[in-house]
Amino acid sequence: MTTATTRFAIQPVAAATLPIAQSTLLFPVHRVYCVGRNYADHAIEMGGDPNREPPFFFQKNPDNLFAGDSFPYPSASNDVHHEIEMVVALKGGGVDIPVADALDCVWGYAVGLDMTRRDLQAMAKELARPWEVAKAFEQSAPCSPLVAAEKIGHPSRGAIRLDVNGERRQAGDLDQMIWKVPEMISYLSGLFRLAPGDVIMTGTPAGVGPVSRGDVLHGRVDGVGGLDVMVV
Ligand code: MN
């Protein structure tokens, strides 16, 4: 722990945060967990099995999340894809959390993009290498301001969609998630010690595809909010 008198050998980088809608408070981001292939139609488009196999997770870096309105096209890729997702922010944690208690850990929700260097991901899959270069690059997760569960409840159904330059590219419903939010929290807590500030990206419906500089992305999750991002 750090205290007012803690002295660091070098200047520490500022903690990652996300804004909160209609509030001056910031949400401190601890870790970012992302679930893969959590909508059956997207699992099929990625060549997977839409059946209920155990979920799998990867991580982004906490400071990959940001609330800006422009997404800088990253280096080292010619095939960067959009993945619209509902984002869950935790206020509690622990290990081995029962499904029935999992929603007590949730502070709130947001709309996010799991931007992906698809070409590097494909290479990683082929070579059985990890996914960080595909998933955990700078500003790889544009995100709307968080909204508190106190205000909106815990959305388990509702449209999730993404338009690119006004054209619908991704559309689904939260009720199509293979693993529901309480199940994801419970499962993750069997693998990691979840903590306040942890964020979970809950997977994307079908329709992922490439973006280009100048594209305008508009994402929306009914009951949660919207996200507008320009690729620059
Ligand atoms: Mn994703």
Side-chain angles (χ1 to χ4, degrees):
M1 286 300 290
T2 60
T3 68
T5 56
T6 300
R7 294 167 68 236
F8 295 100
I10 59 169
Q11 189 64 31
V13 172
T17 60
L18 279 175
I20 294 168
Q22 293 159 4
S23 171
T24 56
L25 297 177
L26 295 175
F27 185 87
V29 179
H30 179 241
R31 293 180 184 166
V32 183
Y33 299 101
C34 308
V35 65
R37 295 183 184 172
N38 199 35
Y39 288 74
D41 52 356
H42 174 62
I44 291 166
E45 78 177 349
M46 297 306 288
D49 184 339
N51 295 317
R52 207 171 142 93
E53 294 173 344
F56 71 92
F57 293 88
F58 56 90
Q59 286 177 266
K60 287 180 183 271
N61 297 298
D63 63 352
N64 295 161
L65 282 168
F66 73 106
D69 55 10
S70 61
F71 165 74
Y73 201 96
S75 64
S77 177
N78 295 307
D79 194 27
V80 175
H81 279 207
H82 53 74
E83 297 189 0
I84 188 72
E85 313 209 354
M86 185 171 78
V87 173
V88 182
L90 302 190
K91 64 179 179 185
V95 297
D96 298 332
I97 299 165
V99 171
D101 298 339
L103 288 180
D104 296 341
C105 298
V106 175
W107 185 88
Y109 299 87
V111 182
L113 283 161
D114 168 15
M115 301 303 290
T116 302
R117 287 167 165 150
R118 194 70 77 202
D119 42 4
L120 298 194
Q121 186 194 32
M123 194 185 306
K125 286 178 180 177
E126 195 178 312
L127 299 173
R129 288 179 181 167
W131 284 8
E132 279 84 354
V133 295
K135 290 290 195 178
F137 56 90
E138 272 60 46
Q139 294 177 282
S140 57
C143 192
S144 74
L146 288 161
V147 289
E150 270 178 8
K151 291 191 176 163
I152 62 165
H154 296 282
S156 60
R157 57 177 55 83
I160 175 170
R161 53 194 182 274
L162 181 80
D163 295 345
V164 179
N165 303 328
E167 200 172 292
R168 183 66 37 91
R169 291 284 179 82
Q170 291 191 257
D173 194 288
L174 299 178
D175 69 6
Q176 295 164 345
M177 284 188 195
I178 297 169
W179 294 89
K180 311 300 182 191
V181 171
E183 294 172 324
M184 269 185 264
I185 291 169
S186 179
Y187 190 90
L188 271 171
S189 74
L191 295 165
F192 303 98
R193 178 181 301 279
L194 297 181
D198 285 352
V199 166
I200 303 171
M201 301 191 75
T202 58
T204 196
V208 301
V211 299
S212 304
R213 286 188 180 85
D215 282 350
V216 175
L217 280 51
H218 173 68
R220 189 150 190 92
V221 177
D222 280 354
V224 177
L227 172 68
D228 290 286
V229 176
M230 178 182 270
V231 182
V232 297

